[in-house]
Each structure stands twice: as C-alpha cells, then as structure tokens.
Amino acid sequence: GAVVSQHPSWVICKSGTSVKIECRSLDFQATTMFWYRQFPKQSLMLMATSNEGSKATYEQGVEKDKFLINHASLTLSTLTVTSAHPEDSSFYICSAAASGGFYEQYFGPGTRLTVT
Amino acid sequence: AQSVSQHNHHVILSEAASLELGCNYSYGGTVNLFWYVQYPGQHLQLLLKYFSGDPLVKGIKGFEAEFIKSKFSFNLRKPSVQWSDTAEYFCAVIPPSGTYKYIFGTGTRLKVLA
C-alpha cells in the first residue's frame, strides 16, 4: 500500500515553455502533498506544501508564480513550471501524507526535467 | 541555522562489513526522525522511523537506528551489509514546528563491494 506515482518520469522542454508534473496517491487519500527538488548528488529541498482545496505554502526563496501548485483532489497534486529556463532543470519529487497520518510521507519516483 | 547533518558523504564497504551512518540534528524539543533509502533509479523508501518510546528502532532489511537525545543523534546501523545495500541513505527530521515538514540531511552514498 501507500503508493505514489508521478507523471511524466522525465521530460525535455524548450526554454520559455511550461511543463506540468502530476503526483498521484494511488491507494490512499492524501490531505497533504509535498514537492521537493533534488539537484545532482544533493539532498532534497522542500519547495512547497500543498493541502487539498487550499493554496500551497511555499518555502522561502521559491517563486510561487514560477512553480504553480494545484491540489485539486485528495489523490492529485500538480506542479507546473512556468516559463522554464535551463536553471530549472532538476529532479522533482513529490510526496504524500495520508489523511490523519501527517508524520509519514510516501514518495513518488520523481520527474527529471531538462530545459534546453 | 538549524539543520540535519550527515557527516559521511561517501562510504565504501566490503560485503559482511558492519555499517554505521551518522545523523545529527540541531533542533531542540520533540522531533520525529526517519531514515530513507534511495536505490539507483528508484524512489525513496522508508527504512525506519522514530516517534517516541524505545530509542532503539528496528527497521526493514536488517537496519536499526538509535536515538540518543543528549547527542541529538539518530545513527543508522546494520551489522552485515550486502551488495544490494548499495544506495543513497537520507536522514530526515520533522522539527518541533508543527508543520510536519521534513528536513533532509545531505545524504550518504554507500557502495558495497561484492
């Protein structure tokens, strides 16, 4: 149980375009989902916390207008990288916490974004 | 700044050797602690967690960790590693902020030689 999927697993886009990444909890309802960014050989940096039906909370230094997060249902959160630039190239990972189980997060497999 | 530290960035061991990976945090108060493993090309998987109670926590795949409050540490151990333990290991802490956010350590890349 507690499976989280992400789509796509990798994407290449041109500079200036937007890319949407989906995060789904497959077998549980996720009140809260988290979006992380992982640079090569580095740790996961939390970008934002999203709660179903409300606005996401962004970490300091993360541009909310660039990284749009929508948590439309208890099983789906999306991250849209708008007007992508090469410096946005990274590995984006989502996680989900089950309703009532906020202390444990289940991680998706990640999405590798390359902006050319 | 408050943080989570993993001092061993790269560890190379031979099969059957014992493993200990360090994790230290700088938050006061009650914390929740985790160790995750990321095998090559796979997502993070939970090895073990500590919320309260017995400070010696046993996890999956023969891993265990000991919470030492006085040392702000949560070190991961395995008595005898296998080649299949080659992976990256992350320590994570939920600090007493009430927001359930994980703060990750920088990770330790373990390579086990067959």
Side-chain angles (χ1 to χ4, degrees):
Chain A
V3 177
V4 176
S5 70
Q6 280 184 244
H7 177 80
S9 55
W10 59 271
V11 58
I12 301 173
C13 71
K14 291 187 176 180
S15 188
T17 61
S18 295
V19 173
K20 180 184 284 188
I21 302 169
E22 292 187 348
C23 175
R24 291 181 186 273
S25 56
L26 298 185
D27 51 2
F28 66 100
Q29 293 187 327
T31 307
T32 304
M33 288 185 168
F34 303 85
W35 286 95
Y36 296 85
R37 188 170 176 177
Q38 186 179 29
F39 291 100
K41 300 184 180 180
Q42 295 188 31
S43 188
L44 285 77
M45 300 299 294
L46 179 65
M47 298 174 65
T49 304
S50 79
N51 293 293
E52 186 266 338
S54 63
K55 290 184 178 180
T57 303
Y58 291 81
E59 295 300 299
Q60 193 171 12
V62 177
E63 299 175 61
K64 60 179 70 174
D65 294 332
K66 180 167 190 61
F67 298 100
L68 300 179
I69 292 172
N70 184 277
H71 193 155
S73 76
L74 285 171
T75 60
L76 173 65
S77 177
T78 60
L79 167 68
T80 301
V81 183
T82 63
S83 187
H85 287 96
E87 57 265 31
D88 299 324
S89 298
S90 191
F91 197 55
Y92 293 88
I93 301 173
C94 75
S95 71
S99 302
F102 300 109
Y103 292 101
E104 185 167 345
Q105 298 178 26
Y106 303 95
F107 287 83
T111 296
R112 182 157 307 281
L113 169 64
T114 301
V115 184
T116 61
Chain B
Q2 296 185 314
S3 65
V4 180
S5 302
Q6 290 181 244
H7 304 295
N8 315 103
H9 298 296
H10 291 92
V11 174
I12 301 175
L13 295 172
S14 298
E15 276 195 314
S18 64
L19 170 73
E20 181 160 1
L21 301 182
C23 174
N24 287 89
Y25 60 93
S26 61
Y27 303 95
T30 301
V31 295
N32 301 108
L33 301 155
F34 306 82
W35 274 98
Y36 281 87
V37 60
Q38 188 175 30
Y39 297 104
Q42 298 189 27
H43 62 281
L44 278 91
Q45 299 175 37
L46 180 67
L47 279 177
L48 45 81
K49 59 189 176 187
Y50 174 79
F51 290 169
S52 63
D54 189 342
L56 185 59
V57 181
K58 295 199 181 296
I60 62 171
K61 306 184 186 223
F63 287 91
E64 64 177 32
E66 185 174 13
F67 170 53
I68 303 179
K69 189 174 182 179
S70 61
K71 294 185 177 180
F72 296 86
S73 70
F74 189 56
N75 291 356
L76 180 71
R77 300 194 291 248
K78 186 171 184 177
S80 176
V81 295
Q82 301 172 317
W83 177 81
S84 57
D85 292 325
T86 294
E88 188 149 19
Y89 293 80
F90 293 95
C91 177
V93 175
I94 298 179
S97 61
T99 61
Y100 316 114
K101 296 190 294 188
Y102 282 21
I103 307 299
F104 278 92
T106 49
T108 297
R109 198 173 291 268
L110 171 66
K111 183 170 185 177
V112 180
L113 305 175

